[in-house]
């Protein structure tokens, strides 16, 4: 049995030449002010380790879909910024991603199952927003600057 993420990954690679995770990275950046986010925040938003994210960002950087820029100051802080080519890639891939999710998930569920999924999604979203408020991590999507 193939999983939903694996099916989405195969379809995304075939149709958009992006893995599902690469699409997620580009998509998250496309929604940020200035299409920029700190790597640690991007890792959190994509539920990835910094190591995995760095590897994928390196591949996307070679394809000129995003750029990494070190944040001045002490520490190893880096921003990831979506390039114009990256933005065009995520915009082009979005309709296929939506169609695949609809085909593999939404169209297969009964109305009561969709209602349950909607409630689950709302509960998860509320929990994430509470945690962001508690930790202050969701207070600003602005790139961090040095003091």
């Amino acid at each position: 049995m193939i999983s939903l993420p694996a099916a989405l990954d195969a379809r995304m690679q075939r149709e958009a030449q992006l893995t599902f995770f690469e699409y997620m990275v580009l998509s998250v950046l496309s929604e940020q002010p200035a299409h920029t986010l700190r790597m640690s925040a991007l890792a959190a938003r994509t539920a990835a380790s910094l190591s995995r994210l760095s590897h994928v960002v390196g591949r996307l950087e070679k394809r000129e879909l995003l750029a990494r820029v070190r944040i001045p100051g002490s520490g190893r802080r880096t921003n990831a910024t979506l390039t114009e080519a990256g933005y065009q890639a995520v915009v082009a891939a979005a309709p296929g991603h939506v169609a695949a999710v609809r085909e593999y998930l939404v169209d297969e569920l009964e109305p009561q199952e969709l209602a349950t999924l909607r409630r689950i999604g709302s509960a998860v979203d509320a929990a994430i927003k509470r945690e962001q408020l508690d930790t202050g991590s969701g207070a600003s999507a602005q790139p961090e600057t040095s003091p």
Side-chain angles (χ1 to χ4, degrees), residues 19-29 42 45-47:
T19 67
F20 178 65
F21 185 68
E22 289 169 340
Y23 173 80
M24 283 179 48
V25 168
L26 298 178
S27 178
V28 167
L29 288 173
L42 184 57
R45 293 194 185 190
T46 58

Side-chain angles (χ1 to χ4, degrees), residues 32-34 36-38 45 79 139-145:
Q32 303 309 309
T36 299
L37 197 58
R38 227 173 114 187
R45 293 194 185 190
N79 279 337
S140 173
Q142 296 292 329
E144 184 176 303
T145 57

Side-chain angles (χ1 to χ4, degrees), residues 94-109:
H97 176 261
V98 170
V101 169
R102 179 166 204 80
E103 178 184 335
Y104 297 141
L105 181 66
V106 176
D107 292 347
E108 295 300 317
L109 299 177

Side-chain angles (χ1 to χ4, degrees), residues 15 26 32 43 46 50 54 65 71-72 99 108 116 120 134 142:
E15 294 178 3
L26 298 178
Q32 303 309 309
T46 58
L50 278 171
S54 285
L65 299 177
I71 300 169
E108 295 300 317
T116 300
I120 293 167
D134 290 346
Q142 296 292 329

